[in-house]
Amino acid sequence: MKRVPMILAGLLLSLGASIGSTTWAAATQTAVFAGGCFWCTESDFDKVPGVLKTTSGYAGGTERNPTYEQVGSGKTGHAEAVQVEFDPARVSYAQLVEHYWKTIDPTVKDRQFCDVGRQYRTAIFYSNDEQKKIAQDSLARLVSSKRFSVVYTEVAPVVGFYPAEEYHQDYYKKNPIRYNYYRSRCGRDDRLVEVWGSSK
C-alpha cells in the first residue's frame, strides 16, 4: 500500500520537471526584426495574437553592449531592432515575417520614414536554418512578385541582440502622447498605406 503513493509522487515529480523545463522551453520561440524606430516596431508586433513579449534593442553590428547614443552615431553597425518572443502554437514564424513586411517600407536603403542612417535599415535577423529559409523564401517571393523595383531589406544571422535601455522598452505605452506625435509627424502610417495599400 505504501508503494502506490511513492510511485505516484515519483510520476508527479517527473511530470513537473518535464513541464518546468523541456515542455516550457519548447513552448516559446524568438524572432528578431529591424524596421526603423524600435518604438514603432515593438508596437506593431505587440498587436499580433500569439506574441508574448517584445524587447527593443540593437542587432547586426560589432559593438558589444552598445548604448543608444553609440548606435545613433551610425558607427557600430547595429540597427534598431526588436526581439519578439512568441508562442508557435498560436502564430508561426512565417506569419510573423509576413506581418513584418506590412510594417516597413522595403523600397528605401538605410532609412525608414523620417529616420535616416544605417541604424534604421530594415532586416530580418534569423537564429537558425529554419528561420533563415523562411525569411529568404519570403524575401524571394516579394522580389519575384515585381511589386517593387527594388527591395533593400536584408536577411542576416543574429550575431548578437542587445536590449536597449529601460526607458526605450514599451515606450509607446509609457509615453503615448509623445509616441503618437512622433509616429504621426514621421509619416510612418501614411507611407505604409502608399506602399501596401489601405488593406495592409
Side-chain angles (χ1 to χ4, degrees), residues 29-197:
Q29 296 178 17
T30 58
V32 179
F33 300 98
C37 169
F38 47 26
W39 300 341
C40 299
T41 305
E42 191 176 27
S43 171
D44 290 338
F45 275 98
D46 273 345
K47 297 180 177 70
V48 179
V51 168
L52 306 175
K53 180 182 179 182
T54 55
T55 303
S56 289
Y58 315 109
T62 57
E63 187 78 20
R64 294 178 63 84
N65 300 309
T67 64
Y68 181 66
E69 289 71 23
Q70 288 174 318
V71 174
S73 72
K75 298 177 181 179
T76 66
H78 284 295
E80 288 195 11
V82 169
Q83 183 182 72
V84 179
E85 183 178 344
F86 64 99
D87 178 356
R90 297 175 60 196
V91 61
S92 68
Y93 179 75
Q95 288 173 316
L96 291 178
V97 170
E98 294 310 309
H99 173 78
Y100 165 75
W101 290 120
K102 303 302 175 64
T103 69
I104 65 164
D105 178 358
T107 69
V108 291
K109 183 177 182 181
D110 294 341
R111 70 172 298 165
Q112 278 295 280
F113 316 103
C114 66
D115 295 315
V116 181
R118 184 147 176 78
Q119 65 271 33
Y120 296 111
R121 68 188 183 275
T122 57
I124 302 173
F125 294 107
Y126 59 84
S127 60
N128 55 49
D129 289 340
E130 181 183 9
Q131 287 190 356
K132 178 181 180 180
K133 185 178 188 310
I134 290 171
Q136 288 182 334
D137 288 350
S138 181
L139 173 60
R141 286 194 301 273
L142 182 61
V143 171
S144 64
S145 73
K146 304 296 184 183
R147 179 169 189 152
F148 308 117
S149 59
V150 62
V151 174
Y152 286 105
T153 303
E154 303 173 7
V155 173
V158 180
V159 177
F161 177 83
Y162 303 95
E165 294 80 349
E166 181 58 32
Y167 71 90
H168 287 299
Q169 308 303 332
D170 293 321
Y171 187 89
Y172 74 100
K173 294 179 182 178
K174 296 174 182 175
N175 303 278
I177 295 176
R178 290 182 179 180
Y179 168 75
N180 288 321
Y181 179 77
Y182 159 76
R183 182 161 183 144
S184 175
R185 288 301 297 257
C186 204
R188 190 177 186 106
D189 294 315
D190 289 341
R191 177 57 183 161
L192 288 175
V193 171
E194 291 178 2
V195 173
W196 297 104

Side-chain angles (χ1 to χ4, degrees), residues 11-34:
L11 287 172
L12 288 173
L13 284 172
S14 176
L15 180 60
S18 176
I19 292 174
S21 57
T22 305
T23 304
W24 175 248
T28 63
Q29 296 178 17
T30 58
V32 179
F33 300 98

